[in-house]
Amino acid sequence: MAESAEGEAGFAIHPMDQFIVRPLFGDGPVHWYTVTNVTLWMALTVLVVSLLLVVGSRGRVLVPSRMQSVAELLYGFVYKMVEDVAGKDGARYFPYIMTVFCFVLPANVLGLLPMSFTTTSHIAVTAVLAVAVFASVTAIGFLKHGTHFLGLFWISSAPLPLRPVLAVIEVLSYFVRPVSHSIRLAGNMMAGHAVIKVFAGFAGALGVASVFPVVAITAVYGLEVLVAFIQAYVFTILTCVYLRDALHPSH
Amino acid sequence: MATEAQGAESAAGMPQLDFATFPNQVFWLVVTLVALYLILSRVALPRIAAVLAERRGSITNDIAAAEELGLRAREAETAYQKALADARAEAGRIVVKARAEIQKDLDAAVARADTEIAAKAVESQERIAAIRASAAASVGEVAREVAREIVQAFGTGADGRSVAAAVTQRMKG
């Protein structure tokens, strides 16, 4: 909002400034080891998860406290998703999928705090997550089924002449998976935050009429809360779907 | 694009495409994911799983215990019903026995009373017969007296003995 206040002459809104990676201390260049706002908000993500799942379940009581029941709900939600989508043998990979979910969801939600930095709005972050999922799922597929895993691309229920064509399409779509997987999350997070920032810039410039942008910000914010949860859910359930394909490659 | 620019100067484009920051983000993401994975897999998930399993176990145990208690209650009820039926049968038996005893006593008393009554009746019969005999004798006596008096009143000389004989003769006839 500082930047829109100073830009009285031009209409200087910088909706993308919130995504800039800055060193947390000083103003030097960003090396790979530099402690940046990325570090801060990822650390806060870890803190939130630890508070909820570790401190929340500290009591280990039979009749759960409020925090513990939220932790149990989260656990049950992801566990059931893994079991339902990836199958019973997918439950082995539950800790990994829980890790993904426990990173994406708090990161999305923390990003909704004013002045915060949304780590999941960066394609670098979501791409690493998506590529990690892609690589491990492919590895699991080949380790479990060997070359039978390639049956995933050879649709035996289709007529024989069509199969090579379908195989090409299947292979292409398989390799597009990490791209769509990562861009979906980063794009959703970035777009909403940028829209809110644009409306905020209007609000700073319009004076009394800024009621409208403020109402719009409220509405978009509500939508963004929904999107934060839905995108975390979508990212996780797609991970489960890819895992199922690796565990049961036959269609 | 903003690939060359650092930090704040890259505001014009998309900071997401500022590749200079990629190593930093990837490094901290990996650190975060490893930390999260360790926290979750070492502490949080086993603990929550244990709590959930414990809860499931205790619910199962409670249900089993409740079923057992219910079974025992049903057993107690059947035992109670059985005891009730037994008591009722016993009471019936006692009643029958008591009735038989009373009947026996009653029969004995009735028999004794009957014999007493019979004895009394015989005695009475005898006394009635004695009274009747004495009455008959008195009637003879009176008749003789009266006859003698009458005969004397007529002035006929007849002795007492013949008159008596004649009266006795008439009375027999």
Side-chain angles (χ1 to χ4, degrees), chain B residues 8-96:
Chain B
E9 292 103 67
S10 66
M14 276 174 67
Q16 279 86 349
L17 298 178
D18 182 0
F19 296 109
T21 64
F22 275 26
N24 182 271
Q25 296 195 48
V26 172
F27 169 67
W28 288 113
L29 174 64
V30 170
V31 170
T32 305
L33 289 181
V34 169
L36 265 182
Y37 176 72
L38 290 179
I39 289 170
L40 288 178
S41 64
R42 294 284 152 86
V43 187
L45 300 186
R47 192 187 283 174
I48 296 173
V51 169
L52 291 179
E54 196 186 330
R55 181 172 310 142
R56 208 171 302 131
S58 72
I59 287 173
T60 314
N61 282 351
D62 286 358
I63 287 174
E67 265 169 13
E68 208 206 300
L69 286 177
L71 203 70
R72 238 188 280 167
R74 272 196 295 284
E75 270 169 17
E77 204 202 330
T78 47
Y80 164 76
Q81 295 288 9
K82 194 173 169 297
L84 201 65
D86 283 356
R88 220 168 253 153
E90 180 71 24
R93 218 162 34 243
I94 287 170
V95 164
V96 166

Side-chain angles (χ1 to χ4, degrees), chain A residues 16-17 19 31-32 34 36 39 42 50 53-54 57-58 60 62 64 68 72 75 96 99 121-122 125 190, chain B residues 7 11 14-16 23-29 32-33 36-37 39-40 45 47-49 51-52 55 58:
Chain A
M16 304 307 278
D17 277 7
F19 301 120
H31 297 295
W32 64 268
T34 314
T36 57
T39 319
M42 283 187 181
S50 308
L53 294 187
V54 178
S57 67
R58 193 183 39 192
R60 301 168 188 245
L62 222 53
Q68 192 184 322
E72 285 171 8
Y75 181 100
Y96 300 98
T99 306
S121 69
H122 273 265
V125 170
M190 183 185 73
Chain B
M14 276 174 67
Q16 279 86 349
N24 182 271
Q25 296 195 48
V26 172
F27 169 67
W28 288 113
L29 174 64
T32 305
L33 289 181
L36 265 182
Y37 176 72
I39 289 170
L40 288 178
L45 300 186
R47 192 187 283 174
I48 296 173
V51 169
L52 291 179
R55 181 172 310 142
S58 72

Side-chain angles (χ1 to χ4, degrees), chain A residues 6-173:
Chain A
E6 71 192 44
E8 291 138 320
F11 212 44
I13 303 167
H14 303 292
M16 304 307 278
D17 277 7
Q18 57 176 324
F19 301 120
I20 294 172
V21 177
R22 287 194 183 84
L24 209 55
F25 309 105
D27 205 20
V30 177
H31 297 295
W32 64 268
Y33 52 83
T34 314
V35 177
T36 57
N37 45 1
V38 177
T39 319
L40 172 68
W41 288 97
M42 283 187 181
L44 285 176
T45 303
V46 175
L47 188 73
V48 166
V49 171
S50 308
L51 273 180
L52 188 62
L53 294 187
V54 178
V55 179
S57 67
R58 193 183 39 192
R60 301 168 188 245
V61 279
L62 222 53
V63 179
S65 62
R66 228 178 285 179
M67 282 269 274
Q68 192 184 322
S69 57
V70 172
E72 285 171 8
L73 211 70
L74 214 61
Y75 181 100
F77 174 70
V78 179
Y79 194 89
K80 196 167 156 24
M81 175 163 44
V82 173
E83 221 177 43
D84 286 354
V85 177
K88 289 267 182 218
D89 41 352
R92 267 184 62 200
Y93 305 100
F94 165 67
Y96 300 98
I97 290 168
M98 188 72 178
T99 306
V100 169
F101 186 72
C102 283
F103 173 71
V104 176
L105 180 64
N108 287 355
V109 174
L110 281 175
L112 286 170
L113 294 175
M115 314 299 291
S116 71
F117 175 82
T118 317
T119 49
T120 42
S121 69
H122 273 265
I123 191 72
V125 170
T126 56
V128 168
L129 283 173
V131 167
V133 168
F134 178 79
S136 38
V137 158
T138 309
I140 289 168
F142 276 111
L143 285 177
K144 279 218 159 220
H145 304 283
T147 50
H148 286 296
F149 180 56
L150 295 172
L152 183 64
F153 308 116
W154 194 254
I155 298 151
S156 46
S157 56
L160 192 59
L162 269 179
R163 283 184 207 171
V165 183
L166 285 175
V168 171
I169 295 172
E170 286 286 325
V171 169
L172 272 179
S173 77

Side-chain angles (χ1 to χ4, degrees), chain B residues 102-120:
Chain B
I102 288 168
Q103 193 62 50
K104 212 167 73 191
D105 285 356
L106 198 66
D107 286 350
V110 166
R112 206 165 49 241
D114 279 352
T115 48
E116 259 168 40
I117 287 167
K120 281 250 167 67

